[in-house]
Amino acid sequence: MNISVILLSRITEIFRQHFGVPAFIVRSPGRINLIGEHTDYNLGFVLPASIDKAVYIAINKRDDKEINLVAVDLNESFNTSLDTIQYTDKQWPNYILGVVDQLQKKGYILSGFNAVVAGDVPLGAGLSSSAAVECATAYALNELFVLELTKKAMIQLSQKAENEFVGVQCGIMDQFASMFGKKEQVIRLDCRSLEYEYMPFDTLDNQIILFDTGVKHSLASSEYNLRRQECEAGVAIIQKKYPQVQSLRDADMQMVNTCLPAGDDAIYRRCKYVVEEIQRVQDACTDLIQQDIASFGKKMFATHEGLSRLYEVSCPEADALVTMVTNHPAVLGARMMGGGFGGCTINIMKREKIEELINIVTQKYSEQFGRVLKTYIVNIDNGTSLV
Ligand code: GLA
């Protein structure tokens, strides 16, 4: 049986045991990002897609102000009230409560609700399970309370929930990809205007495979917030000479070289990476239009180099996984994906060599790190919707 069918019957059954019949179930997927890393909060371009691994939320309304939540995969529950919403050390409820908090702050009137959450997005693997939970919640509450929010409003609200309630200063990419994803298409998103277009991604000959480092870095969110501050510091310096520069999107390498001391300076390296990456995404989109996946893949390797050496958000495991596939004729592109400090590498591989490559990399990874490598074969699927 299909995994999503199993998940759906499980979530419905658990909902029935706790709360009766759900009003409906919402599916919201995890995401991959082909290229354009750490460019979203610098108002550049990204090229993500939603995948065939998702979070499901079953929900119904209550007459009182209670919020009752059950996380099937963690076998945990959490209860609170609309009047006493606050951050909890349990973590997982925060992605739901953060969205409720944002809605209440915006003046929307809600009643209590029951919700059961389950899914098959691997946790802490950099596939944005948290954004998927936020988008699923926003979409479900919008339906349940007929709030008439647009998809863009739901995304912005979800991002704000993560920024303000969870405390990670993330950009808009993950929520956008989860909500707006489309089967077999990648999304070219301009993170400044939020204009976007779908571009076909050839999965006939090539397969997207993720290698999970298994590293869940505890510094990830604080280092992430620090990178964001370093970029802002770079903009403040460049602005003194070029007042038109409001974000690194507006800067070019000539400005960076003129205003910042080259070499070892951290701010210089962060800005260099971002300015180059924003350009790389645009060039990579041209490759896609020309169906030149080989050139596209080379840019992924270049992104990895920049993320590892200039932006310094990789880790030895991700570097090793990329090195293992570099120069392999069946691997078109590979790089670390997402915020960094662990999580997955994303690889584009020729279909006929998948099994062979997975075996080689798994073997090498276990020799080098003494750990079993998890691999995920992912397909590009539709974004958030009612089931
Ligand atoms: C995380 C954030 C995104 C984005 C990526 C890096 O996934 O949530 O907003 O900044 O890191 O590209």
Side-chain angles (χ1 to χ4, degrees):
M1 216 196 301
N2 182 310
I3 181 86
S4 51
V5 176
I6 299 171
L7 268 168
L8 281 176
S9 75
R10 186 139 177 255
I11 198 172
T12 310
E13 175 52 23
I14 292 182
F15 197 98
R16 199 191 53 74
Q17 285 166 15
H18 287 84
F19 313 118
V21 182
F24 51 80
I25 300 177
V26 170
R27 169 190 180 274
S28 199
R31 66 100 188 89
I32 49 172
N33 184 26
L34 271 302
I35 199 159
E37 217 65 88
H38 288 272
T39 47
D40 60 352
Y41 55 84
N42 287 301
L43 306 188
F45 297 91
V46 289
L47 199 66
S50 53
I51 57 172
D52 55 349
K53 294 186 184 300
V55 164
Y56 296 83
I57 182 163
I59 198 162
N60 73 5
K61 228 187 252 185
R62 297 178 57 91
D63 295 334
D64 54 19
K65 292 188 165 186
E66 296 295 298
I67 299 176
N68 297 326
L69 308 174
V70 174
V72 177
D73 309 313
L74 304 173
N75 199 15
E76 284 188 13
S77 56
F78 183 83
N79 302 329
T80 185
S81 151
L82 281 174
D83 295 334
T84 52
I85 288 198
Q86 52 184 340
Y87 184 88
T88 152
D89 290 338
K90 257 192 168 171
Q91 291 302 336
W92 66 268
N94 292 326
Y95 303 108
I96 299 171
L97 301 180
V99 171
V100 176
D101 178 54
Q102 282 301 320
L103 285 170
Q104 296 207 113
K105 281 191 175 137
K106 287 196 172 356
Y108 290 100
I109 309 291
L110 313 177
S111 72
F113 61 90
N114 305 308
V116 173
V117 188
D120 61 352
V121 186
L123 300 178
L127 302 185
S128 297
S129 54
S130 49
V133 173
E134 289 154 5
C135 289
T137 305
Y139 199 97
L141 294 177
N142 183 53
E143 284 288 320
L144 198 63
F145 297 108
V146 200
L147 306 177
E148 296 185 346
L149 292 164
T150 62
K151 278 189 170 184
K152 270 191 189 159
M154 288 187 248
I155 289 166
Q156 282 162 332
L157 201 123
S158 298
Q159 182 199 9
K160 227 168 166 209
E162 179 115 12
N163 293 165
E164 292 180 3
F165 202 83
V166 182
V168 180
Q169 297 307 311
C170 68
I172 195 105
M173 171 172 74
D174 304 344
Q175 290 80 4
F176 203 100
S178 185
M179 189 69 84
F180 275 102
K182 200 169 174 181
K183 207 174 174 65
E184 286 162 16
Q185 310 272 315
V186 290
I187 310 168
R188 179 190 187 272
L189 171 65
D190 177 338
C191 299
R192 184 165 60 189
S193 65
L194 295 191
E195 277 168 17
Y196 64 100
E197 64 178 298
Y198 294 108
M199 305 184 75
F201 190 79
D202 165 32
T203 46
L204 219 60
D205 300 330
N206 306 313
Q207 176 67 53
I208 298 166
I209 307 219
L210 309 179
F211 291 143
D212 190 344
T213 60
V215 179
K216 296 182 172 71
H217 204 290
S218 59
L219 285 176
S221 56
S222 57
E223 282 291 324
Y224 182 94
N225 291 349
L226 179 62
R227 288 298 172 282
R228 205 173 163 146
Q229 285 163 18
E230 287 170 332
C231 292
E232 281 161 13
V235 169
I237 297 168
I238 298 170
Q239 235 170 27
K240 288 191 189 137
K241 194 169 165 65
Y242 302 99
Q244 73 273 28
V245 173
Q246 299 297 310
S247 69
L248 287 178
R249 164 74 174 274
D250 305 319
D252 59 28
M253 273 317 291
Q254 187 257 324
M255 293 173 181
V256 172
N257 285 328
T258 311
C259 301
L260 296 163
D264 257 3
D265 181 65
I267 309 247
Y268 172 81
R269 280 181 286 132
R270 309 302 186 236
C271 293
K272 177 173 159 60
Y273 164 74
V274 171
V275 168
E276 288 177 349
E277 179 75 351
I278 291 174
Q279 185 57 46
R280 210 160 19 231
V281 184
Q282 297 174 84
D283 297 342
C285 289
T286 309
D287 293 339
L288 272 194
I289 292 165
Q290 293 170 349
Q291 299 186 329
D292 185 354
I293 300 287
S295 298
F296 185 94
K298 284 193 190 120
K299 293 188 177 65
M300 291 173 72
F301 282 113
T303 293
H304 184 80
E305 189 70 12
L307 285 167
S308 182
R309 292 176 189 231
L310 297 173
Y311 216 64
E312 293 176 289
V313 291
S314 189
C315 61
E317 290 83 350
D319 286 344
L321 284 170
V322 171
T323 306
M324 284 173 205
V325 298
T326 305
N327 296 328
H328 191 293
V331 179
L332 296 147
R335 62 177 196 81
M336 60 144 278
M337 186 181 74
F341 308 103
C344 288
T345 63
I346 175 169
N347 305 264
I348 302 180
M349 295 182 177
K350 293 233 186 301
R351 250 175 211 289
E352 67 271 12
K353 294 282 181 194
I354 296 175
E355 214 173 304
E356 182 188 317
L357 266 157
I358 290 181
N359 288 339
I360 297 174
V361 176
T362 306
Q363 170 80 27
K364 284 193 184 167
Y365 197 71
S366 127
E367 280 164 18
Q368 202 167 333
F369 296 102
R371 250 179 277 147
V372 179
L373 180 72
K374 280 198 214 136
T375 60
Y376 313 116
I377 297 183
V378 294
N379 298 298
I380 300 178
D381 210 337
N382 287 324
T384 313
S385 69
L386 280 177
V387 171

